[in-house]
Amino acid sequence: MTFGLRKRLSKERGFSLMPRAMALPSSSCKLPLVAVCQVTSTPDKQQNFKTCAELVREAARLGACLAFLPEAFDFIARDPAETLRLSEPLGGRLLEEYTRLARECGLWLSLGGFHERGQDWEQTQKIYNCHVLLNSKGAVVATYRKTHLCDVEIPGQGPMCESNSTMPGPSLESPVSTPAGKVGLAVCYDMRFPELSLALAQAGAEILTYPSAFGSVTGPAHWEVLLRARAIETQCYVVAAAQCGRHHEKRASYGHSMVVDPWGTVVARCSEGPGLCLARIDLSYLRQLRQHLPVFQHRRPDLYGNLGHPLS
């Protein structure tokens, strides 16, 4: 179900979270509700905040306990120089505004890719793509700095070299207990690396998050299939908040924010343009599925070796 900026629906319906054959008798209205926000960021940071805040307030009004914002929710610049100029430290003004917003609305916020000036900013003059998790009191409970940087050249989409302005994060973040379940943090291009998602699942994740800004070529080809694959192989919910539309004359994003359940079914999806979609998280269903299909008990790490090496 999608809630656009101009169309508001007065009641929830259609939150189908599981195949009928696997359905549990639990009442769906008691399950935690999450909201996935889709926006079109520009270089205007204050306007971007106003758009995101409207969606977060709508999510709170509809009863969500956790709202997910996409990668680059703060801004999408025209070039690396502008990116560096607009970036802020975690203790800057913009994060303070989101801290107040979380407190005001009383819900958790996944801020999916903040352009962070880290402690090494003076030495490197580069930033981190930082996924920040705030609790309902506005406290920062986790930060994950994107470990896989998107340095690619896709015909028809134009080159992207994230490492021109961004440093790779040094480590993964342990999954965090939230009102919706244990959340594992990732960012966009990370979804192409199943080793990361498996590591988070083995560390206890029940929900994997891939806030993103996918392009117009890779989006139709890979977006949904990658998200569904990550959900199926880890038997986790996957939440993917996405950028959409044209940000400025140099860049556009694919959109199609969604939630995928552990069976691989897309249970919520945003339509075109800014808006949000809602899904309920059924951890009893997740545990039942893992019991019936115990793939983690069947793995053979003695055969696979280290899968992180480059191809020979």
Side-chain angles (χ1 to χ4, degrees):
M1 177 182 289
T2 302
F3 294 78
L5 287 172
R6 291 184 294 273
K7 286 188 176 181
R8 306 300 188 192
L9 300 184
S10 61
K11 58 183 179 179
E12 303 161 17
R13 57 183 176 177
F15 299 130
S16 175
L17 295 183
M18 63 193 74
R20 290 188 180 275
M22 297 288 290
L24 295 174
S26 58
S27 173
S28 65
C29 65
K30 298 179 181 179
L31 300 174
L33 186 69
V34 300
V36 187
C37 302
Q38 182 166 279
V39 301
T40 307
S41 292
T42 71
D44 187 338
K45 291 165 66 175
Q46 198 54 42
Q47 184 58 49
N48 295 336
F49 174 75
K50 290 179 181 178
T51 299
C52 290
E54 180 179 356
L55 289 173
V56 169
R57 291 185 179 107
E58 178 75 349
R61 188 185 70 80
L62 293 166
C65 64
L66 200 164
F68 296 84
L69 293 173
E71 181 182 32
F73 68 94
D74 50 352
F75 64 86
I76 290 182
R78 296 176 181 86
D79 52 55
E82 187 175 44
T83 295
L84 295 174
R85 180 174 60 80
L86 293 174
S87 63
E88 297 184 19
L90 287 179
R93 180 184 59 81
L94 186 61
L95 256 294
E96 288 180 2
E97 290 187 285
Y98 278 98
T99 291
R100 289 194 293 270
L101 181 64
R103 281 201 303 264
E104 170 200 327
C105 295
L107 83 173
W108 288 56
L109 290 179
S110 161
L111 305 177
F114 174 72
H115 296 86
E116 178 206 4
R117 291 189 184 185
Q119 294 181 348
D120 55 359
W121 163 255
E122 294 296 334
Q123 292 75 38
T124 66
Q125 292 295 295
K126 289 188 175 184
I127 60 174
Y128 292 96
N129 190 338
C130 185
H131 188 161
V132 182
L133 188 64
L134 303 179
N135 66 17
S136 57
K137 296 181 180 179
V140 175
V141 295
T143 54
Y144 162 73
R145 292 164 179 87
K146 187 179 181 183
T147 51
H148 301 97
L149 300 184
C150 189
D151 290 356
V152 301
E153 293 189 26
I154 307 295
Q157 190 169 288
M160 173 172 286
C161 191
E162 191 173 14
S163 64
N164 281 345
S165 59
T166 306
M167 296 284 288
S171 62
L172 303 184
E173 179 73 16
S174 297
V176 180
S177 294
T178 77
K182 290 185 178 180
V183 173
L185 304 180
V187 180
C188 196
Y189 190 58
D190 285 333
M191 78 175 68
R192 294 187 180 274
F193 302 89
E195 301 92 337
L196 183 150
S197 61
L198 291 170
L200 290 174
Q202 288 173 327
E206 297 161 324
I207 303 167
L208 300 178
T209 58
Y210 294 104
S212 298
F214 252 52
S216 57
V217 174
T218 54
H222 297 161
W223 171 250
E224 181 174 327
V225 69
L226 282 171
L227 295 172
R228 295 179 68 187
R230 297 295 83 85
I232 293 167
E233 71 195 4
T234 61
Q235 298 176 319
C236 288
Y237 282 90
V238 166
V239 178
Q243 292 282 343
C244 68
R246 180 152 294 280
H247 309 288
H248 44 68
E249 65 278 6
K250 294 183 178 180
R251 187 168 174 185
S253 293
Y254 177 63
H256 294 77
S257 302
M258 65 179 64
V259 180
V260 185
D261 76 8
W263 186 252
T265 302
V266 177
V267 296
R269 188 194 308 261
C270 284
S271 61
E272 298 298 322
L276 61 84
C277 62
L278 301 171
R280 295 199 181 273
I281 304 298
D282 190 340
L283 296 182
S284 295
Y285 168 56
L286 178 148
R287 289 188 286 268
Q288 182 191 52
L289 177 59
R290 290 180 175 181
Q291 180 180 0
H292 289 316
L293 191 61
V295 293
F296 279 94
Q297 297 177 33
H298 298 156
R299 291 192 179 281
R300 291 290 305 276
D302 57 310
L303 300 180
Y304 312 144
N306 187 339
L307 297 179
H309 292 305
L311 296 178
S312 58

